Amino acid sequence: MASIGFLGLGIMGKAMAANLVKAGFDVTVWNRNSAKCAELVALGARQGTTPKDVAASCDITFAMVSDPEAALALCQGPNGVMAGMGAGRGYVDMSTVDDNTSKTIAGLITQVGGRFLEAPVSGTKKPAEDGTLIILAAGDQSLYDDVKPAFEVMGKMSPYLGDVGQGANMKLVVNMMMGGMLSIFSEGMSLGQKAGLDGQQILDIVDAGAMANPMFKGKGAMLLNENYTTSFPLKHMQKDLRLAVALGDQLEQPLPTAAIANEAFKQAIKAGFAEEDIAAVYKVIK
Amino acid sequence: MASIGFLGLGIMGKAMAANLVKAGFDVTVWNRNSAKCAELVALGARQGTTPKDVAASCDITFAMVSDPEAALALCQGPNGVMAGMGAGRGYVDMSTVDDNTSKTIAGLITQVGGRFLEAPVSGTKKPAEDGTLIILAAGDQSLYDDVKPAFEVMGKMSPYLGDVGQGANMKLVVNMMMGGMLSIFSEGMSLGQKAGLDGQQILDIVDAGAMANPMFKGKGAMLLNENYTTSFPLKHMQKDLRLAVALGDQLEQPLPTAAIANEAFKQAIKAGFAEEDIAAVYKVIK
Amino acid sequence: MASIGFLGLGIMGKAMAANLVKAGFDVTVWNRNSAKCAELVALGARQGTTPKDVAASCDITFAMVSDPEAALALCQGPNGVMAGMGAGRGYVDMSTVDDNTSKTIAGLITQVGGRFLEAPVSGTKKPAEDGTLIILAAGDQSLYDDVKPAFEVMGKMSPYLGDVGQGANMKLVVNMMMGGMLSIFSEGMSLGQKAGLDGQQILDIVDAGAMANPMFKGKGAMLLNENYTTSFPLKHMQKDLRLAVALGDQLEQPLPTAAIANEAFKQAIKAGFAEEDIAAVYKVIK
Amino acid sequence: MASIGFLGLGIMGKAMAANLVKAGFDVTVWNRNSAKCAELVALGARQGTTPKDVAASCDITFAMVSDPEAALALCQGPNGVMAGMGAGRGYVDMSTVDDNTSKTIAGLITQVGGRFLEAPVSGTKKPAEDGTLIILAAGDQSLYDDVKPAFEVMGKMSPYLGDVGQGANMKLVVNMMMGGMLSIFSEGMSLGQKAGLDGQQILDIVDAGAMANPMFKGKGAMLLNENYTTSFPLKHMQKDLRLAVALGDQLEQPLPTAAIANEAFKQAIKAGFAEEDIAAVYKVIK
C-alpha cells in the first residue's frame, strides 16, 4: 500500500497509528505537540514537520483530532493539509465532527483536487489499541477501496456507507437507538424495583435472554450502584436525540419513542445531570 | 430427591419431563390425551391415571399446560390436583398464567395444606429440549429449595423472586423492556433507511457494538425480509405493555416510553397485525 | 308530570330537589339523615320514610348520592329501592359512579321490572342551584322522554346518549380532553415563562383568541398564583385518563397524547400532589 | 400623532391601512403593484413612490407583507426602507417572519439610527377589517409607546412583550398550545365515536362546559364533515411545534405533550396532508 500520513496522536490517534506501523505500513506522523511523536518513531514511523508537509509527502493522510474546530484548523492556513494536498491524494478524517464540519472539510479537500472520506469511529481507548474499532466510512469510494487495508488493521468493521454525511447519519441512528433503549431500560428497572423485585435479578434475567447486551450489563451495574461516572456524557446523548428527531422532521419520519426519550434526557439535563454519564437518566425516571 | 409428578405433555411439557427422567428423577406423568405418555414411559417414567392420582402419589407435582383455563381445570373437580394433594406436598405450576389465576391456584393448593410455587418460563421448544429455560419462580420458599435440583435440569437459571405474583411481575418488566426496545429499534431502522442508509449495514453496525443482542439480530432480519411469521404474537406484547403501564399506575411509577410503545403496538393492532409477530410493529412505524 | 321521588339531599341533591319543587313538581324526598329534609318540606315537598317507601309511592325516583357504594346501598336491602320498585316505574341515578356499578344497578332495577337511566352530571354547587347542570343521560329511552321536563329544570342540557354505560363513556372522553388540555397548557406556560415572557400576558393573549376557554382562564390564574386549592382532585383526573387509555386499548384506538398526559398526572401523584387540584400538574412540568 | 407610512396592501395590509386612514391618521401608502393604492387614496391617503420615499417622508412606517423574503427585500436596495430611514424614525414590521429575519431587519434599521418593533398579528381578514387583531409587539419600547394609538385602531389588544424575538416566541407558545389541543381533541373525538357516542353530542357537551372554545367549535364541525379546507396549513403547525420543542431543548424545558403532538402532525404530513388545514391531523388519529 501507499505511504500513509497520520495527524493527531492523542489517546486514540497514537494507538491507531501504532497499529498501522506494526502492521508494516510506511507511516509519517505529526502532532501539535511534537514530543508525542517519539514513541511512534521508536516503532519505525517517520516524523513530519507540518500537516502540509505530511499531506504533500504521503499518498493518503489520516487525521484523528478531538473536535470540529481542531479538525478544521488542521486543513487550513499556510501549514495546513490543503496547502500540501495535490490532485488524487487522499484525506481521511476519523475525528468525530458534526455534519456541517464534515461537509466543509470535504469541500476544501476536493477543491484542491484531493479525495475525501469521513470515517468517525465507534469505540474508545481499548478497541483503538486492540484494532477493534467500528469505522463508519463515507465519501469517495475509490479512496475507501485504497484505505480498506489500513481500516482492517485499525477496526473490526469498516463498512462503506455512501456519500459524505452518511457516517454522521449512521451515528445518529445508532445513538438514537441507544437513547431509547436506556429510557425503556430505566423504566423497567424502576417499575420492577417498585414492585419489589430485586434489581440484580432483573439484570440477570435480562442478561440470560434475547435482549442480553453489553450496554444493559454495564449501565445496569452503574445504576444499581448509583455510580454515574461519565463514559458518554448525558448532554451529548440528548444532542444526538434532538438531531435524530430533527432528521425525522426533515425526512417526514415520525419518531414518537425517540421524541419521548429526548424529553427524558432533557429532564435529566434540567435536573443538573448534563455532565454525568447517560446512565444518569435513570435518576429522573426512578 | 423426592418423587415427581408431571402434568401436561405438550411440546414444552414433554421435553421438560423427558429431561427430568433422563436426569434420574422418579417421574410419574399424566396427559389429558394419554397417548402422549408412551414416549415418556419408554424413557422410564411411570404413568398416572388422573391429576388427583399423580398429586396423591408424588411428593411434588409439576404442571405445564397451555392456558389459565387449563391450569385451573387441572386443580379442580373430583379428579383434580386438590383432591389428591395432602399437607406438605408441593405443586409447581410452570404454565404461563395471569396474576389472578396464579393467586387463585395458590389459594386452592394452600387451602388443602399444600405448598405452591408459580414458575412460568421464558424460552420455547429448543431451550425446553436443551434444558436451558429461564424459570421465574415465586411462592413457597421451602418448596423452591426442594425443587431446585429439578429446575437445574430444566433450565439454565431459576431465581427465586419472592411471593406468588412476582413471577408474573418479572415477566411484565422483561416484556415491557422488549416492547420498548422493538419500538425504538423500528424507529431507528426506519429513520436510517429513509436517510439512505442500508438496512443490513445498520444491523451489522449495531451488532458489532454495545447494543448487540439476539433480538435485534433476529427481528432485524425479519423486518428487512418483510417476514413477520409469528413467534411472539403482537397482541400479547400489547397486552403486556398495557398491564405494565397499569402496574405503573398502581405503583405511582411514570412510564412514558412504555406508554408510547404501547400506543405503537395498539396502532399495529388497529392496522390488522394482531396475530403477526411482534416485529410487525415496524409496519406502522416505517 | 308524574310524582317524583328524590333520594339524597347533600349539597347537590338539595339544590336539585329544591328546583324541582319550585318548578311545581310533586316531590317526595328522603335523606339518610332525615334532618336535611326539613328545608325541602318547607318548600312544599313530602317526606318519605325509606328508599323503598319513596320508590313505591312515586312514578319516578331520582337519586343523587356521593359514591358508588352509597348508590348501590340505596337499592339493596329490605328498605331499598328494589323492594319498592314495581313494573314500569322509573329510577334515575344521577350520582357519579363507575361503569360497573352503573350496570349493576341497571340490572337490579330491570330485574324487578323497573326502567333505569344513568344520568351523571357535570357541574358543581352553583350550576346545581342555578339549574344549569350538564346531564349525561343513558339507558331506557322511554324513561328519558318521561323525565325530560325534570331534566330541563335541573340542567341547561341533558342529551340522551344511548345504552347504560354511555354516560360514563362521555364523561371519560370529556375528562380525557381536559387532562390533555391541561398538560399542553402547563407546558406552554412553562416554556413561555422560561423564554422570558410574562405569564399573565400569555393568558391574556390566549384568552383573546380562538383557544379562549373558561378552564384556561381559571386554572391559569391558579397556576400564576401558585394556588392549587382543590376543585377537581388531581388523582381523579389521573384515574379518568387511565380509564380512557384503557378504553382506547379495548376499542383499538391509539391515544398517544392522552397516554403522555396520563404519565404527567402520574408524575404529579408520585410527587405528592394527588389531593391537590388538577392544576397542580403544572408543578411537575414547569 | 406623527405621520404614518404603510407598505404592503394585500388583503391584510389594505384593511389595516384603511382603518388608520378612517381613524384620522395622516397615512402614506405604497404597494409593489401600485394599482392597489387607489382605494386607499380614495379614502384620503397619500401615495408614496418607493419604500425609501415613504420611510423618508413619514415619522413611522408600518410594513405588512407576505413572507420573510418580501419583508427583507422591502428594507434593502437603493429604493429600500434603509435608504430613507433617518435617526429616530420608526419602523414597525407586522409581517409574520421567523426569528432570524426579524433580528436581521432589527439590525438593519438600528444600524442607520432607526427604531424597530416586530409586531406580528394573530387573526385573519375579518379581524383586520374589524380592527380586532391581536398584535404581538416587541422591540424598541419608546416606539411602542408612540405607535400605541395606531395599534389600538388596528387591534383589540397589543401588549408589549419585550426585546425583539419575544413576539415570535409568544407566537410559538400560543401555536404549540393550539397543536396540543388539536391532538387531544382529535383523540377524544375518535375515542368517543369508536365507543358509539355521537360526534355532534360530544361537541355540544364540550361546548357547554369549561373547555368551550371557538377552535373546538370550528374545527369540530370541519372534522365531522370531513372538510379540511385550509385556513391554517398543517405543515405550518408542524413547523411551529418543531420550533417550540427546539426552544424547549435550548431552555432545558421538557415538553412531552408537545413532542408527541409534533409526531402526530408529522404523521399527517407523511400521509400527504401537509397543505390541508390543521384539523386534518384527525385523519391520522381516528
Side-chain angles (χ1 to χ4, degrees), chain C:
Chain C
M1 188 180 161
S3 58
I4 286 182
F6 206 105
L7 310 176
L9 301 174
I11 292 173
M12 297 293 288
K14 192 174 71 174
M16 293 156 76
N19 282 333
L20 290 173
V21 175
K22 288 176 197 160
F25 287 97
D26 174 9
V27 181
T28 302
V29 300
W30 173 88
N31 192 62
R32 202 167 45 173
N33 170 354
S34 62
K36 291 205 175 169
C37 295
E39 203 172 325
L40 274 298
V41 169
L43 286 174
R46 301 167 200 266
Q47 181 168 353
T49 55
T50 61
K52 172 188 171 183
D53 166 50
V54 174
S57 60
C58 299
D59 297 311
I60 296 168
T61 300
F62 290 81
M64 185 63 175
V65 293
S66 59
D67 57 40
E69 290 67 37
L72 205 54
L74 266 190
C75 293
Q76 298 171 313
N79 291 318
V81 168
M82 271 184 82
M85 175 110 336
R89 290 182 192 275
Y91 188 63
V92 183
D93 195 340
M94 303 186 74
S95 318
T96 291
V97 304
D98 59 286
D99 196 39
N100 282 335
T101 301
S102 191
K103 285 178 177 159
T104 301
I105 295 175
L108 294 174
I109 298 300
T110 51
Q111 190 182 318
V112 296
R115 297 178 294 159
F116 179 73
L117 214 51
E118 66 172 358
V121 304
S122 177
T124 48
K125 192 185 176 191
K126 189 72 170 38
E129 290 172 350
D130 297 347
T132 56
L133 293 166
I134 298 172
I135 300 170
L136 305 175
D140 187 294
Q141 194 155 8
S142 73
L143 178 56
Y144 172 78
D145 294 337
D146 290 350
V147 300
K148 187 75 182 163
F151 280 163
E152 280 169 2
V153 165
M154 295 184 282
K156 67 175 166 185
M157 75 184 295
S158 51
Y160 176 72
L161 304 173
D163 294 339
V164 170
Q166 293 297 51
N169 281 342
M170 183 62 88
K171 262 202 121 163
L172 277 191
V173 166
V174 167
N175 284 353
M176 180 188 105
M177 286 187 191
M178 192 178 286
M181 278 176 69
L182 271 173
S183 292
I184 194 68
F185 177 66
S186 297
E187 291 183 6
M189 289 298 287
S190 302
L191 180 65
Q193 292 180 91
K194 285 244 169 81
L197 295 168
D198 177 73
Q200 188 58 52
Q201 282 189 327
I202 303 174
L203 292 181
D204 292 345
I205 287 164
V206 170
D207 197 48
M211 288 185 282
N213 66 84
M215 181 173 74
F216 281 5
K217 208 178 168 86
K219 301 303 183 193
M222 290 173 72
L223 166 166
L224 289 185
N225 298 327
E226 303 273 354
N227 164 13
Y228 304 105
T229 308
T230 308
S231 145
F232 183 173
L234 193 145
K235 68 180 178 186
H236 291 172
M237 175 55 89
Q238 197 265 319
K239 185 197 67 185
D240 285 349
L241 283 165
R242 170 162 45 88
L243 292 174
V245 172
L247 184 60
D249 272 293
Q250 189 186 317
L251 300 172
E252 301 185 359
Q253 173 60 51
L255 302 168
T257 316
I260 283 303
N262 184 33
E263 298 305 316
F265 281 90
K266 209 190 289 185
Q267 185 79 39
I269 289 176
K270 183 182 167 193
F273 310 144
E275 306 294 340
E276 298 188 30
D277 190 71
I278 46 175
V281 72
Y282 177 66
K283 293 200 275 182
V284 295
I285 288 173
K286 73 170 180 181

Side-chain angles (χ1 to χ4, degrees), chain D residues 121-167:
Chain D
V121 305
S122 177
T124 49
K125 191 186 177 190
K126 188 72 169 40
E129 290 172 350
D130 297 347
T132 56
L133 293 166
I134 299 172
I135 301 169
L136 305 175
D140 187 294
Q141 193 155 9
S142 74
L143 177 56
Y144 172 79
D145 293 337
D146 290 350
V147 301
K148 188 73 183 164
F151 281 164
E152 280 168 2
V153 165
M154 295 185 282
K156 67 175 165 185
M157 75 184 295
S158 51
Y160 176 72
L161 303 173
D163 294 339
V164 170
Q166 293 296 51

Side-chain angles (χ1 to χ4, degrees), chain D residues 9-208:
Chain D
L9 301 173
I11 292 173
M12 296 293 289
K14 192 174 71 175
M16 292 156 76
N19 282 333
L20 290 173
V21 176
K22 289 175 198 160
F25 287 97
D26 174 10
V27 182
T28 303
V29 300
W30 174 89
N31 192 61
R32 203 167 44 174
N33 171 354
S34 61
K36 292 209 176 167
C37 296
E39 202 172 328
L40 275 296
V41 170
L43 287 174
R46 302 167 199 267
Q47 182 167 353
T49 56
T50 60
K52 172 187 171 182
D53 166 49
V54 174
S57 61
C58 298
D59 298 311
I60 295 167
T61 301
F62 291 81
M64 184 64 175
V65 293
S66 59
D67 57 40
E69 290 66 36
L72 205 53
L74 265 190
C75 294
Q76 298 170 315
N79 291 318
V81 169
M82 272 184 81
M85 175 105 343
R89 290 183 193 274
Y91 188 63
V92 184
D93 195 340
M94 304 185 74
S95 318
T96 289
V97 304
D98 60 285
D99 196 40
N100 282 336
T101 301
S102 191
K103 285 178 177 159
T104 301
I105 295 175
L108 294 173
I109 298 299
T110 53
Q111 191 183 314
V112 296
R115 296 178 295 160
F116 179 73
L117 213 51
E118 66 172 359
V121 305
S122 177
T124 49
K125 191 186 177 190
K126 188 72 169 40
E129 290 172 350
D130 297 347
T132 56
L133 293 166
I134 299 172
I135 301 169
L136 305 175
D140 187 294
Q141 193 155 9
S142 74
L143 177 56
Y144 172 79
D145 293 337
D146 290 350
V147 301
K148 188 73 183 164
F151 281 164
E152 280 168 2
V153 165
M154 295 185 282
K156 67 175 165 185
M157 75 184 295
S158 51
Y160 176 72
L161 303 173
D163 294 339
V164 170
Q166 293 296 51
N169 282 341
M170 183 63 87
K171 261 202 124 163
L172 276 191
V173 166
V174 168
N175 283 354
M176 179 189 105
M177 285 188 192
M178 192 178 288
M181 277 176 71
L182 271 173
S183 292
I184 193 69
F185 177 66
S186 297
E187 291 184 6
M189 289 298 287
S190 301
L191 180 65
Q193 291 180 92
K194 285 243 169 83
L197 295 168
D198 177 73
Q200 189 58 52
Q201 281 190 327
I202 303 175
L203 293 181
D204 291 344
I205 287 165
V206 169
D207 197 49

Side-chain angles (χ1 to χ4, degrees), chain B residues 175 178 219 229-237 240 275-279:
Chain B
N175 283 354
M178 193 179 286
K219 301 302 182 193
T229 308
T230 309
S231 145
F232 183 173
L234 192 144
K235 68 179 179 186
H236 291 172
M237 173 56 87
D240 285 348
E275 307 294 339
E276 298 189 29
D277 190 70
I278 47 175

Side-chain angles (χ1 to χ4, degrees), chain A:
Chain A
M1 188 179 161
S3 59
I4 286 182
F6 205 105
L7 310 175
L9 301 174
I11 292 173
M12 297 293 288
K14 191 174 72 175
M16 293 156 76
N19 281 332
L20 291 173
V21 176
K22 288 176 197 160
F25 287 98
D26 173 10
V27 182
T28 303
V29 299
W30 174 89
N31 192 61
R32 203 167 44 172
N33 171 352
S34 62
K36 290 206 176 169
C37 295
E39 202 172 326
L40 274 296
V41 170
L43 287 174
R46 301 169 199 266
Q47 182 168 354
T49 56
T50 60
K52 172 188 172 183
D53 166 50
V54 173
S57 61
C58 299
D59 299 310
I60 295 168
T61 300
F62 291 82
M64 184 64 175
V65 292
S66 59
D67 57 41
E69 291 67 36
L72 206 52
L74 266 189
C75 293
Q76 298 171 314
N79 291 318
V81 168
M82 272 184 80
M85 174 109 340
R89 290 184 193 273
Y91 187 64
V92 184
D93 195 340
M94 303 186 75
S95 318
T96 291
V97 304
D98 59 285
D99 196 38
N100 282 336
T101 302
S102 191
K103 285 177 177 160
T104 301
I105 295 175
L108 295 174
I109 298 300
T110 53
Q111 192 183 315
V112 296
R115 297 177 294 159
F116 178 74
L117 213 52
E118 66 172 358
V121 304
S122 177
T124 49
K125 191 186 176 190
K126 189 72 168 38
E129 291 172 349
D130 296 347
T132 56
L133 293 166
I134 298 172
I135 301 169
L136 305 175
D140 188 293
Q141 194 155 9
S142 73
L143 177 55
Y144 172 78
D145 294 338
D146 289 352
V147 301
K148 188 72 181 164
F151 281 164
E152 280 169 1
V153 164
M154 295 185 281
K156 66 176 166 185
M157 75 184 296
S158 52
Y160 176 73
L161 303 173
D163 292 339
V164 170
Q166 294 295 53
N169 281 342
M170 183 63 87
K171 261 203 124 163
L172 277 191
V173 166
V174 167
N175 283 355
M176 180 189 105
M177 285 188 191
M178 193 179 286
M181 277 177 70
L182 270 173
S183 291
I184 194 68
F185 177 66
S186 296
E187 291 184 6
M189 289 298 287
S190 300
L191 180 65
Q193 291 179 92
K194 285 245 168 80
L197 295 169
D198 178 73
Q200 188 58 53
Q201 282 189 327
I202 303 175
L203 292 181
D204 291 345
I205 288 165
V206 170
D207 197 49
M211 288 185 282
N213 66 84
M215 181 175 72
F216 281 5
K217 209 179 168 86
K219 301 303 183 191
M222 290 174 72
L223 165 168
L224 289 184
N225 298 328
E226 303 274 354
N227 165 14
Y228 303 105
T229 308
T230 308
S231 143
F232 183 173
L234 193 144
K235 68 179 179 187
H236 291 171
M237 174 56 88
Q238 198 266 321
K239 188 197 66 187
D240 285 349
L241 283 165
R242 171 161 46 87
L243 293 174
V245 172
L247 184 60
D249 272 293
Q250 189 186 319
L251 300 172
E252 301 186 359
Q253 172 60 49
L255 301 168
T257 316
I260 283 302
N262 184 32
E263 299 304 317
F265 280 90
K266 210 190 287 182
Q267 185 79 38
I269 288 175
K270 183 183 168 192
F273 310 144
E275 306 295 339
E276 298 189 30
D277 190 71
I278 46 174
V281 73
Y282 177 67
K283 292 200 274 182
V284 294
I285 288 173
K286 72 169 180 180

